[in-house]
Structure formats: C-alpha cells, structure tokens
Amino acid sequence: MSTRENAAGSLLDIMHASAVIPVIAIDELAHAVPLAKALVAGGIRVLEVTLRTAHGLAAIRAIADAVPGAIVGVGTLTKPEEFAAARDAGAVFGVSPGLTAELIAAARSSGLPLLPGVMTPSEVMVARAAGFLQLKLFPAVPAGGVGMLNAIAGPLPDVTFCPTGGISVETAPAFLACDNVACVGGSWLTPKDAIRAGDWARITALATAASALRKVH
Ligand code: 3PG
C-alpha cells in the first residue's frame, strides 16, 4: 500500500503512530526511496521530508509512490504556496518551524493537516486560537526542553507537542515521559555520512533503536 492509499487519519493519529519522527533533508534525489525503505524496515513509518533542499517535493512524490507503509509528511513549510504543492506530491501532513497568518490560511485552503512550530506560551496561545492543538516545540532544547514543556503544561494543558531540535536517542525518553508530548522529532536517524555512503543498514539500525522508544503513559 502506498502512502497515498494509506492517507493517515488525524494529526494526533500520526503523532501516536511513531514515538520518533525523523526530520529528513534529501541532498540527492536518488537517496530518497532507499532511505525511506531503510527507515520503514527499522519500524519508523512516519517520515518528515523537509523542503530545505531543492529535492524535497520530488522526494516526497518518490517515497509516496514507492515505499509501502511509509506515512510521508512535508517539513520546513515556510511559504503558503508550498502547502498545495506538497499535498499534491503525496504529503499527508505538514510541519512548519513557526506560524503566520499566511500559513494558517494555506493550511485551511489546502486541507493539509499542519503541525505548526511554537516556542513561547504566547505562540502556543495564538496557534491554539487558530485551531491548532497539536504543536511542534521548536527549537526544543534552546526553548528550554523538558523544563519548558512541563512549565507550559500547567497553564496550557490542552495542547500536545512534538518537540524537535537538539534531541537525541539518549535524551528522547525524558521528552516522551512528559504528559503533553506525543512524539519527538530529530535528524539523528539520518546522518549525512551514512546517506552519502549508502549505508542503509546503519539507518535501519538507528531506526530500530528509535522505534524501541515508546511513549510512557
Ligand atoms: C530541524 O528542523 O532542524 C529539526 O528540528 C531537527 O533538529 P535536530 O537536527 O537538532 O534533530
């Protein structure tokens, strides 16, 4: 079943489908499918392919068409026109580093479920007022990490986070133990040297270790 057929349910379903969401940057398009297959082989199915390289959209299309079991989303959404393009390429969710009025409008008009980035309580409140209850805390570690998440949970208990930015396999469990965290994001599953070398076995091993991390309830 391709990603298109496997169009995921709600954003919360997607966040619960994987304790770790790899943040992926594709420098060579030919890497996209084998990389995604290596991650899925290790049990990591939810993939965020960023638009921070020129191959982002083509990589999303290639993975959606050729990697059974992958749930592919688009990351680093910063411009409104990227939403429909990513949706049409096969992305079933989107992630942005921050939130603007233009991005709110694009999320609504494209129908692409958006996980917007926030870093302060005021930004959480603005996102929540716009209808976003699932948020990316970004950059998570510079923003205050676990301490920040626990502090936000008091006054703003009705939002759920995917913290991303500075998290590792060693520090992920402390984030996943937070009541208001459903999953974490990170680039540690996709080291550039392993991708360049075509060392897909190493990527699968990193994915296997990440998929062993479980959200603690
Ligand atoms: C990002 O958008 O760059 C992600 O937050 C990944 O951060 P990391 O490289 O620190 O995991």
Side-chain angles (χ1 to χ4, degrees):
M1 190 163 49
S2 78
T3 298
R4 285 167 207 264
E5 294 159 327
N6 191 20
S10 72
L11 206 42
L12 208 50
D13 291 338
I14 293 170
M15 293 168 82
H16 286 150
S18 186
V20 181
I21 299 178
V23 178
I24 299 167
I26 296 292
D27 291 320
E28 285 185 41
L29 184 54
H31 293 153
V33 167
L35 174 64
K37 285 183 173 171
L39 290 163
V40 171
I44 295 292
R45 296 178 58 220
V46 180
L47 313 177
E48 178 190 332
V49 179
T50 64
L51 298 184
R52 64 186 64 177
T53 72
H55 302 299
L57 281 182
I60 289 167
R61 191 172 294 110
I63 294 168
D65 283 343
V67 185
I71 298 170
V72 63
V74 57
T76 320
L77 287 166
T78 60
K79 299 175 190 153
E81 62 271 23
E82 292 166 343
F83 283 69
R87 178 203 61 202
D88 293 347
V92 296
F93 70 97
V95 184
S96 61
L99 191 59
T100 65
E102 289 75 18
L103 296 194
I104 292 170
R108 287 186 182 142
S109 66
S110 68
L112 191 69
L114 175 66
L115 185 68
V118 296
M119 195 182 160
T120 67
S122 290
E123 290 172 8
V124 173
M125 293 164 69
V126 168
R128 190 177 63 171
F132 298 94
L133 295 180
Q134 291 84 41
L135 306 172
K136 156 171 161 149
L137 179 68
F138 177 79
V141 170
V146 167
M148 177 69 159
L149 287 157
N150 288 334
I152 286 178
L156 301 165
D158 53 347
V159 291
T160 304
F161 291 96
C162 173
T164 304
I167 300 176
S168 66
V169 69
E170 289 83 15
T171 61
F175 283 91
L176 291 168
C178 295
D179 288 342
N180 54 355
V181 169
C183 61
V184 302
S187 64
W188 82 85
L189 285 77
T190 54
K192 282 195 180 296
D193 59 337
I195 296 174
R196 266 196 305 271
D199 190 352
W200 309 125
R202 182 171 160 212
I203 304 277
T204 295
L206 289 165
T208 301
S211 63
L213 298 173
R214 293 274 178 271
K215 168 70 190 153
V216 180
H217 291 284

